[in-house]
Amino acid sequence: MKNAVIKYFVITIVVLTFSKTNAQSCGFGCLGLSGIFGGYSVQKYEADGLNTHLNILVNPPWSSFVHNDSYNFNEGKGFKVGINLVRAQYSKFFFTFKGYYQFLSEEQSIKIPNGPDYYTFYDAKFEMNNWGIGLDLGIPLLSFVDWKIIDGELKFFSPKLTYKNYSNNPLANYISLESTYTPDKVKMGYSVGSGLIFNIIQDYISIEATGMFTFIEIDNLTDDQDRSSVPSQDLNTKLILNGGFQGAVQLNVGIPF
């Protein structure tokens, strides 16, 4: 499935870039740098394996104490920056070829009482930073509104989990622990969606609002020091079972040539 998506992207980009279709206009930057963009995005994901593993650390099955708090990682938030390499406007449609880097992270903390005014803290930070390339195809709706009929992206994730626990009780015989887990290799996924472009100043400044669904699976992450994994093998589940809805709003600044 992933190989088919890659082939589709490559073929479509080549055909559109070198097409000699009769064009009313070829927009700013049709053969070069078209502009830069930056915005904010939210990414949902199904992190069953991650949550199960972390909750066992906080509530081990052999413990006689049960705590009500639990981890529920399901949504990363962060900024997205990139370059619209090609944004070409034809008589009845437009297309954009872009590259970007996206910062996504989610942090959760659980504190468990271990005395008057003293707690043991369990902090976890999960990052889903990724870079990628994208292609969108659309049509103009109004003089100032364009519809991205389809927006597709190939994503290359570098997930990272940072986990630590510690106590604020200076008298406790407690050793703080911190572990970092990363993948053995970059994980690939893809997104498909649609959106709207609001042209504030035609060809120079616009705002995009996009909704997509991301497809991604991640088996596990590994600690470089002791080679332990999250989730552990005995749980027989994946860290991320699938992606989910992604919403993004970004500002485009054009650089005409």
Side-chain angles (χ1 to χ4, degrees):
M1 182 66 178
K2 291 181 180 179
N3 290 335
V5 173
I6 294 174
K7 290 179 181 178
Y8 168 79
F9 263 73
V10 173
I11 293 172
T12 305
I13 290 167
V14 171
V15 170
L16 288 174
T17 302
F18 295 99
S19 172
K20 298 301 181 180
T21 325
N22 293 329
Q24 177 181 344
S25 64
C26 188
F28 63 100
C30 74
L31 294 178
L33 180 65
S34 163
I36 59 175
F37 63 84
Y40 189 77
S41 60
V42 177
Q43 172 68 63
K44 295 281 189 178
Y45 39 73
E46 299 176 21
D48 291 10
L50 173 62
N51 291 321
T52 300
H53 184 99
L54 292 177
N55 286 327
I56 288 177
L57 295 179
V58 176
N59 282 306
W62 57 84
S63 174
S64 58
F65 300 97
V66 177
H67 310 289
N68 294 326
D69 293 337
S70 61
Y71 291 103
N72 184 29
F73 282 89
N74 59 22
E75 181 182 88
K77 299 178 181 180
F79 293 95
K80 184 177 185 178
V81 293
I83 300 174
N84 288 321
L85 296 169
V86 176
R87 172 156 284 182
Q89 183 76 45
Y90 291 82
S91 57
K92 295 183 180 181
F93 73 95
F94 66 88
F95 76 89
T96 308
F97 177 48
K98 55 200 171 185
Y100 70 87
Y101 192 85
Q102 187 175 31
F103 303 87
L104 291 172
S105 68
E106 183 177 8
E107 296 183 57
Q108 296 185 19
S109 180
I110 294 176
K111 63 178 183 179
I112 298 174
N114 61 7
D117 300 323
Y118 295 123
Y119 299 89
T120 298
F121 296 88
Y122 298 84
D123 296 342
K125 180 180 180 180
F126 183 54
E127 300 171 79
M128 284 278 280
N129 296 342
N130 61 94
W131 65 272
I133 56 175
L135 177 72
D136 62 60
L137 299 168
I139 59 174
L141 290 181
L142 301 171
S143 59
F144 62 94
V145 180
D146 297 332
W147 175 28
K148 295 192 296 179
I149 297 176
I150 185 167
D151 191 338
E153 294 178 350
L154 281 177
K155 300 172 175 289
F156 301 89
F157 289 89
S158 298
K160 178 181 177 182
L161 172 66
T162 304
Y163 174 80
K164 59 181 178 180
N165 58 63
Y166 57 93
S167 174
N168 66 343
N169 186 348
L171 301 178
N173 184 19
Y174 189 85
I175 300 176
S176 61
L177 299 174
E178 180 171 351
S179 300
T180 300
Y181 300 86
T182 55
D184 294 330
K185 60 181 180 179
V186 173
K187 305 297 183 180
M188 193 182 80
Y190 61 95
S191 298
V192 179
S194 183
L196 294 173
I197 302 175
F198 301 90
N199 298 300
I200 309 302
I201 301 177
Q202 187 70 38
D203 292 348
Y204 289 92
I205 299 177
S206 62
I207 295 176
E208 291 189 25
T210 307
M212 313 180 81
F213 194 94
T214 298
F215 300 86
I216 176 70
E217 287 186 3
I218 301 175
D219 292 335
N220 55 57
L221 303 179
T222 306
D223 188 331
D224 290 338
Q225 301 298 320
D226 61 13
R227 304 307 298 170
S228 61
S229 64
V230 175
S232 56
Q233 295 182 356
D234 58 312
L235 291 179
N236 195 29
T237 185
K238 296 182 178 181
L239 183 89
I240 300 292
L241 296 177
N242 200 356
F245 175 79
Q246 175 184 319
V249 177
Q250 69 185 49
L251 175 68
N252 300 308
V253 178
I255 304 175
F257 284 87

